[in-house]
């Protein structure tokens, strides 16, 4: 093995092994200790098992590995580099094994507690799994809740029916006024989100009929053990179904789902997936670092401790509020902070439910026109999930770079808030009963003003030619995508038109300001 290969292994390969195995081991141990063993915190399982292990590796990838990658000559023939690809593979290798490890931990911890009946649960040490010999499910008393959401980039409309029924030791116990233990059952159906409202309503009614028929025929006693529902999205939906069961007192109730596979099979092949992911990540990374040549200049700087990640430092400095670019980063930080707060509150991570968005200030015609006019503004700072937030913040960053410096921070902030409110007004005018959220209405308002200023030739001719077509394509693409469903095009159009009109009104003073500089 030559000296250059050894240097690559020491600087890039061994640190990956240490980081992957170390992060996976330490985070999995903390998850087990804090959330499973000691139960010190109650955080939504999707955050603990997916969100944190998926995104936390970004920190070592950016701050530790990114400077080290400079020792490799990753430039393409056209002058660009493969840096982003290498960083992506690094992140995927570390995060992938950590996420799989949490799935293995979830399915491998906990003992199966044998009990005669559910009334014996308080007498035993608390567990996630119970094998019950004697029980009675009262199917005549059920609480239900239906969840609606969209997926597949807004193309699919999903309907999920959550049902809970009480569990007793025997039949005559069902006359009690309270019930602590419940069985959860879930039914699911899907229809194209491009379908009309009538088609969706007809499909929903058909879905309810089929679910009722399956529920009536189901032999609920055919199970091997019960698994307690934790703090998860499904758990929240089952609790909402529980609230709709008015016959019993349900405070501090515990909800189970039934499992009809052997208890030992719950682990599946997760351990092999974990080992395979760790191994595959290490092998792929080793091949990737062996292919390119060493950059001797950067290698010397790295050894001397003088290597600096100028691109990262420039980006971090760029995102600091400053003169001419003050409001845009603050708006981005506020939107991200609200999203993180909602995630920590247990509302989800990848996506949020419509009911939760409504409770946090979503725009909804019946509520808004009933006196809750503040929803026109609060909805502008809410997002339905991570992808929704990410796409909107990129759009805000791009347009904010160009128009905040020429408008000034006060006029720019007023433009953002006013077009956001006008977009919300357009949404409730068009939609009778849709929860509308997102910064896209306000962002389209900024793009509307940007278009007006480009057409008014406020910017230099070369700039206007380059960005006029790009902006028109961006706006047209997003509006066309909105026709597929699941996207509030009314808010987009309302924001765009209001921003364009404002842009026409202010273009002369803005142009005069540009000429006087």
């Amino acid at each position: 093995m030559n000296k250059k290969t050894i240097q690559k292994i020491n600087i890039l390969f061994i640190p990956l092994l240490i980081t992957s195995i170390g992060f996976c081991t330490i985070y999995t141990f903390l998850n087990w200790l804090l959330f499973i063993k000691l139960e010190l915190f109650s955080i939504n399982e999707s955050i603990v098992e997916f969100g944190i292990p998926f995104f936390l590796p970004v920190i070592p990838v950016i701050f530790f590995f990114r400077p080290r990658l400079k020792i490799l000559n990753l430039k393409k023939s056209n002058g660009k580099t493969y840096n982003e690809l290498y960083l992506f593979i690094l992140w995927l290798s570390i995060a992938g094994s950590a996420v799989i490890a949490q799935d293995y931990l979830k399915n491998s911890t906990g003992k199966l507690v044998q009990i005669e009946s559910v009334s014996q649960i308080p007498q035993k040490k608390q567990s996630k799994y119970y094998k019950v010999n004697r029980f009675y499910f009262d199917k005549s008393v059920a609480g239900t809740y239906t969840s609606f959401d969209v997926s597949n980039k807004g193309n699919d409309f999903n309907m999920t029916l959550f049902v809970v029924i009480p569990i007793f030791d025997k039949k005559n116990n069902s006359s009690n006024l309270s019930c602590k233990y419940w069985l959860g059952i879930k039914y699911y159906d899907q229809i194209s989100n491009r379908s009309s409202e009538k088609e969706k309503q007809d499909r929903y009614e058909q879905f309810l009929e089929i679910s009722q028929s399956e529920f009536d025929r189901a032999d609920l006693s055919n199970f091997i053990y019960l698994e307690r529902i934790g703090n998860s999205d499904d758990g929240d939906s089952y609790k909402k179904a529980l609230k709709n069961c008015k016959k019993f007192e349900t405070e501090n109730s515990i909800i189970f789902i039934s499992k009809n596979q052997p208890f030992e099979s719950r682990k599946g092949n997760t351990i092999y997936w974990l080992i395979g992911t760790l191994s595959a990540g290490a092998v792929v990374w080793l091949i990737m670092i062996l292919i390119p040549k060493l950059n001797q200049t950067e290698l010397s700087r790295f050894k001397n401790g003088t290597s600096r990640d100028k691109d990262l430092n420039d980006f971090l400095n760029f995102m600091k509020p400053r003169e001419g670019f003050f409001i845009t980063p603050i708006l981005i930080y506020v939107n991200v902070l609200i999203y993180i707060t909602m995630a920590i509150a247990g509302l989800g991570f990848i996506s949020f439910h419509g009911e939760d968005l409504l409770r946090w200030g979503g725009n909804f015609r019946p509520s808004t026109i009933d006196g809750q006019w503040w929803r026109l503004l609060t909805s502008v700072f809410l997002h339905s999930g991570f992808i929704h937030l990410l796409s909107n913040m990129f759009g805000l960053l791009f347009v904010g770079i160009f128009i905040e410096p020429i408008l000034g921070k006060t006029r720019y902030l007023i433009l953002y808030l006013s077009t956001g409110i006008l977009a919300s007004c357009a949404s409730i005018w068009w939609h009778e009963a849709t929860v509308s959220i997102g910064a896209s209405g306000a962002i389209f308002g900024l793009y509307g003003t940007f278009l007006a200023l480009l057409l008014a030739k406020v910017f230099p001719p070369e700039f206007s030619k380059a960005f006029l077509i790009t902006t028109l394509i961006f706006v047209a693409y997003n509006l066309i995508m909105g026709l597929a469903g699941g996207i509030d095009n009314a808010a987009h159009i309302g924001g765009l038109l209001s921003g364009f009109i404002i842009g026409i009104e202010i273009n002369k003073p803005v142009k005069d300001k540009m000429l006087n500089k």
Side-chain angles (χ1 to χ4, degrees):
M1 190 179 297
N2 60 44
K3 183 179 178 181
K4 293 181 179 179
T5 301
I6 294 174
Q7 288 175 323
K8 292 179 180 180
I9 291 175
N10 289 336
I11 297 174
L12 289 169
F13 181 69
I14 293 178
L16 170 68
L17 290 180
I18 296 173
T19 304
S20 295
I21 298 173
F23 177 78
C24 186
T25 303
I26 294 172
Y27 181 79
T28 303
F29 171 75
L30 291 175
N31 183 7
W32 171 82
L33 180 65
L34 301 178
F35 301 107
I36 297 177
K37 180 69 175 178
L38 301 179
E39 296 185 347
L40 295 180
F41 309 100
S42 179
I43 301 178
N44 191 288
E45 291 176 356
S46 62
I47 297 176
V48 177
E49 298 169 7
F50 180 79
I52 298 176
F54 193 70
F55 289 99
L56 198 59
V58 169
I59 296 175
V61 167
I62 291 178
F63 291 97
F64 181 76
F65 285 100
R66 182 184 171 95
R68 291 173 173 244
L69 273 181
K70 291 185 176 182
I71 71 167
L72 300 180
N73 187 0
L74 298 177
K75 286 188 177 180
K76 302 180 184 178
S77 57
N78 58 6
K80 296 182 179 180
T81 71
Y82 290 101
N83 280 33
E84 289 74 16
L85 174 62
Y86 274 65
L87 292 173
F88 174 76
I89 297 298
L90 263 173
W91 164 75
L92 192 63
S93 176
I94 301 170
S97 57
V99 170
I100 294 175
Q102 306 324 301
D103 187 52
Y104 174 75
L105 175 68
K106 176 184 177 180
N107 294 321
S108 60
T109 54
K111 295 181 179 180
L112 183 63
V113 176
Q114 181 84 35
I115 55 176
E116 183 62 27
S117 59
V118 290
S119 61
Q120 291 184 354
I121 290 179
Q123 303 170 16
K124 301 287 185 178
K125 186 177 180 180
Q126 182 172 292
S127 178
K128 186 178 180 179
Y129 309 101
Y130 293 92
K131 183 173 178 60
V132 187
N133 293 331
R134 182 162 48 90
F135 51 85
Y136 172 69
F137 298 123
D138 190 354
K139 295 176 70 173
S140 65
V141 183
T144 62
Y145 166 76
T146 307
S147 171
F148 303 98
D149 62 80
V150 295
S151 61
N152 189 22
K153 298 181 179 179
N155 292 321
D156 297 327
F157 182 78
N158 307 308
M159 301 170 284
T160 309
L161 175 63
F162 294 87
V163 182
V164 291
I165 59 174
I167 310 175
F168 297 102
D169 290 351
K170 50 187 178 181
K171 185 173 183 178
N172 59 4
N173 284 5
S174 62
S175 60
N176 294 342
L177 296 178
S178 64
C179 179
K180 187 174 181 179
Y181 307 107
W182 297 76
L183 179 71
I185 308 166
K186 183 169 66 173
Y187 300 96
Y188 171 80
D189 196 11
Q190 184 183 79
I191 187 174
S192 171
N193 200 29
R194 300 183 183 183
S195 305
S196 66
E197 292 299 322
K198 185 179 185 307
E199 289 174 325
K200 291 179 181 178
Q201 182 63 34
D202 292 342
R203 183 62 172 267
Y204 173 60
E205 293 175 0
Q206 181 184 18
F207 166 59
L208 291 181
E209 291 179 5
I210 295 174
S211 300
Q212 180 67 57
S213 177
E214 292 181 3
F215 177 77
D216 293 337
R217 295 196 313 267
D219 180 10
L220 301 180
S221 63
N222 184 25
F223 68 93
I224 297 177
Y225 64 95
L226 298 176
E227 177 183 337
R228 186 179 60 175
I229 291 289
N231 186 359
S232 61
D233 293 341
D234 279 1
D236 291 340
S237 296
Y238 280 124
K239 289 175 183 176
K240 291 175 182 177
L242 198 60
K243 290 181 180 179
N244 293 330
C245 185
K246 306 299 183 181
K247 181 176 179 179
F248 298 109
E249 174 61 42
T250 60
E251 188 176 357
N252 298 322
S253 293
I254 298 175
I255 304 172
F256 297 95
I257 56 174
S258 60
K259 297 288 186 176
N260 56 10
Q261 298 88 15
F263 181 71
E264 296 75 15
S265 67
R266 73 193 189 283
K267 300 178 184 179
N269 297 320
T270 316
I271 187 63
Y272 300 109
W273 279 100
L274 175 58
I275 296 172
T277 303
L278 281 169
S279 303
V283 171
V284 170
W285 182 245
L286 179 61
I287 294 173
M288 290 179 68
I289 66 174
L290 291 179
I291 293 175
K293 296 179 180 180
L294 279 172
N295 185 324
Q296 294 297 336
T297 302
E298 291 295 339
L299 180 60
S300 299
R301 289 177 180 174
F302 176 79
K303 289 181 176 180
N304 296 330
T306 58
S307 178
R308 294 177 63 243
D309 193 349
K310 185 177 181 299
D311 293 339
L312 178 60
N313 292 332
D314 289 346
F315 175 77
L316 294 176
N317 290 328
F318 172 73
M319 289 305 295
K320 292 179 181 179
R322 63 185 184 277
E323 186 63 32
F325 189 67
F326 187 84
I327 298 299
T328 300
I330 290 178
L331 288 173
I332 292 174
Y333 297 147
V334 170
N335 278 278
V336 172
L337 180 61
I338 291 174
Y339 169 81
I340 293 173
T341 303
M342 294 176 69
I344 293 175
L347 305 186
F349 185 78
I350 299 301
S351 62
F352 302 130
H353 291 297
E355 303 92 303
D356 295 325
L357 292 168
L358 179 62
R359 191 162 55 250
W360 278 65
N363 191 23
F364 185 60
R365 184 200 285 186
S367 300
T368 304
I369 65 176
D370 193 37
Q372 299 177 11
W373 296 105
W374 45 267
R375 293 182 178 275
L376 296 175
L377 178 60
T378 56
S379 60
V380 176
F381 294 91
L382 299 176
H383 291 84
S384 61
F386 178 75
I387 301 301
H388 188 202
L389 172 73
L390 191 66
S391 60
N392 275 349
M393 293 307 99
F394 271 120
L396 174 58
L397 177 63
F398 177 81
V399 73
I401 292 172
F402 300 118
I403 66 173
E404 182 179 352
I406 66 172
L407 294 182
K409 58 185 178 183
T410 301
R411 188 181 290 177
Y412 176 77
L413 179 60
I414 293 173
L415 173 66
Y416 181 87
L417 297 177
S418 59
T419 55
I421 292 173
L422 290 171
S424 297
C425 291
S427 178
I428 61 171
W429 173 76
W430 183 262
H431 300 291
E432 294 183 3
T434 297
V435 179
S436 176
I437 42 85
S440 53
I443 294 170
F444 264 76
L446 298 181
Y447 275 97
T449 299
F450 189 38
L451 278 174
L453 297 179
L454 287 170
L455 293 172
K457 299 180 180 179
V458 171
F459 299 96
E462 299 79 10
F463 180 94
S464 297
K465 289 180 182 178
F467 284 96
L468 179 59
I469 296 177
T470 303
T471 304
L472 286 172
I473 292 174
F474 170 82
V475 171
Y477 171 79
N478 280 276
L479 291 178
I480 292 172
M481 288 298 294
L483 297 176
I487 297 175
D488 190 358
N489 249 0
H492 288 177
I493 295 173
L496 182 68
L497 291 178
S498 60
F500 187 79
I501 293 171
I502 293 173
I504 293 175
E505 292 294 323
I506 66 173
N507 79 82
K508 189 177 186 306
V510 171
K511 185 184 293 186
D512 293 340
K513 177 184 175 182
M514 294 282 287
L515 292 174
N516 292 331
K517 280 189 176 182

